[in-house]
């Protein structure tokens, strides 16, 4: 896998290069400021991009803006965004452009090498990888929605789905059978008024699309 890295912290940047290279991936380019990101992505057109949200010169949302701009120029470009904290608005904005091939992780997750590499590979394959803390924020921020009708177990299943896990992994995590997982997923989709399909990443995309709809959309249609 060819990867472009955008990170201003030299220590983390070198750590990412070493981690990805050791895992057999090719680092096509490494940049340390916001204005460098889009040209590097357009030049190298990598299999995936790993971008810090806040980059020089402004340390606001340069990485996120570059990610959104790159996905317009290179539709479907897999992007894994790293952030120091859970910044709900950034996650929502990134996902609103289509959740296919999108990841949003806290930087602490990079230290868990296997989890980080698994997330990157999921994103590069067109899937979704959201930090559990980000998912929790997205789930809890909505009020007076069909989410309130979900049982505690259905919320657990939805949370794991949104993180990008498949039925087998969900079953193991919750110590229930895959058949039970499928049943819970069916109930989740029915209650959220979404097509009752649990196949592939479409289920995750549909759930994320629902979670990130504007609040006004709930009562207007």
């Amino acid at each position: 896998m060819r990867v472009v890295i955008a990170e201003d912290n030299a220590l983390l940047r070198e750590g990412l290069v070493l981690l990805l290279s050791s895992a057999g991936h090719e680092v096509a380019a490494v940049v340390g400021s916001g204005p460098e990101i889009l040209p590097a992505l357009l030049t190298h057109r990598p299999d995936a991009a790993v971008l810090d949200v806040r980059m020089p010169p402004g340390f606001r949302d340069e990485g996120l803006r570059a990610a959104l701009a790159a996905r317009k120029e290179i539709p479907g470009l897999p992007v894994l965004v790293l952030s120091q904290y859970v910044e709900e608005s950034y996650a929502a904005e990134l996902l609103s452009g289509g959740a296919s091939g999108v990841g949003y992780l806290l930087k602490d997750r990079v230290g868990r090498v296997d989890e980080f590499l698994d997330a990157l590979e999921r994103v590069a394959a067109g899937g979704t990888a959201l930090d559990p803390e980000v998912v929790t924020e997205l789930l809890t921020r909505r009020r007076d929605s069909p989410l309130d009708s979900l049982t505690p177990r259905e919320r657990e299943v939805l949370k794991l789905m949104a993180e990008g896990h498949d039925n087998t992994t969900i079953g193991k995590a919750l110590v229930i059978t895959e058949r039970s997982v499928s049943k819970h997923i069916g109930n989740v989709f029915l209650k959220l008024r979404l097509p009752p399909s649990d196949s592939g990443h479409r289920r995750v995309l549909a759930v994320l699309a629902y979670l990130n709809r504007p609040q006004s959309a709930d009562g207007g249609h």
Side-chain angles (χ1 to χ4, degrees):
M1 183 194 315
R2 296 176 65 254
V3 183
V4 166
I5 297 171
E7 168 60 55
D8 67 289
N9 182 298
L11 190 60
L12 179 56
R13 188 168 63 231
E14 292 306 311
L16 285 168
V17 171
L18 181 60
L19 190 159
L20 292 174
S21 299
S22 298
H25 303 305
E26 176 190 345
V27 178
V30 182
V31 300
S33 70
E36 297 177 272
I37 299 174
L38 186 57
L41 293 174
L42 293 178
T43 297
H44 296 281
R45 295 184 176 258
D47 299 311
V50 178
L51 312 176
D52 186 5
V53 168
R54 300 188 179 198
M55 298 280 289
F59 293 100
R60 290 188 295 273
D61 58 0
E62 288 82 358
L64 178 70
R65 293 279 152 247
L68 295 171
R71 282 171 67 88
K72 287 182 180 178
E73 297 286 337
I74 311 172
L77 172 69
V79 173
L80 178 58
V81 170
L82 302 178
S83 181
Q84 192 71 41
Y85 312 102
V86 176
E87 298 177 269
E88 179 191 311
S89 60
Y90 291 163
E93 187 164 1
L94 183 65
L95 294 166
S96 68
S100 177
V102 170
Y104 188 103
L105 296 182
L106 295 182
K107 288 187 177 181
D108 288 348
R109 204 69 54 181
V110 176
R112 302 172 189 178
V113 175
D114 290 341
E115 286 185 32
F116 173 74
L117 290 174
D118 178 64
L120 179 60
E121 287 166 10
R122 260 203 327 267
V123 168
T128 308
L130 297 183
D131 196 285
E133 291 189 37
V134 174
V135 175
T136 298
E137 289 285 335
L138 290 172
L139 286 173
T140 57
R141 72 184 172 90
R142 296 181 63 84
R143 294 289 180 267
D144 302 319
S145 81
L147 286 171
D148 297 332
S149 68
L150 299 183
T151 66
R153 176 64 86 192
E154 287 164 357
R155 289 181 70 88
E156 288 178 324
V157 170
L158 175 60
K159 184 173 182 291
L160 290 168
M161 283 170 58
E163 288 169 22
H165 298 298
D166 59 21
N167 288 17
T168 302
T169 305
I170 293 173
K172 289 179 180 177
L174 300 179
V175 197
I176 58 178
T177 65
E178 284 192 52
R179 184 173 181 180
S180 295
V181 173
S182 294
K183 182 178 179 181
H184 288 308
I185 289 172
N187 290 338
V188 167
F189 276 108
L190 286 173
K191 290 180 179 181
L192 299 188
R193 298 188 293 273
L194 294 166
S197 168
D198 66 355
S199 61
H201 290 290
R202 284 174 294 182
R203 64 196 187 135
V204 179
L205 307 187
V207 171
L208 290 173
Y210 175 84
L211 291 174
N212 287 283
R213 284 193 308 174
Q215 295 287 350
S216 59
D218 290 330
H221 297 284

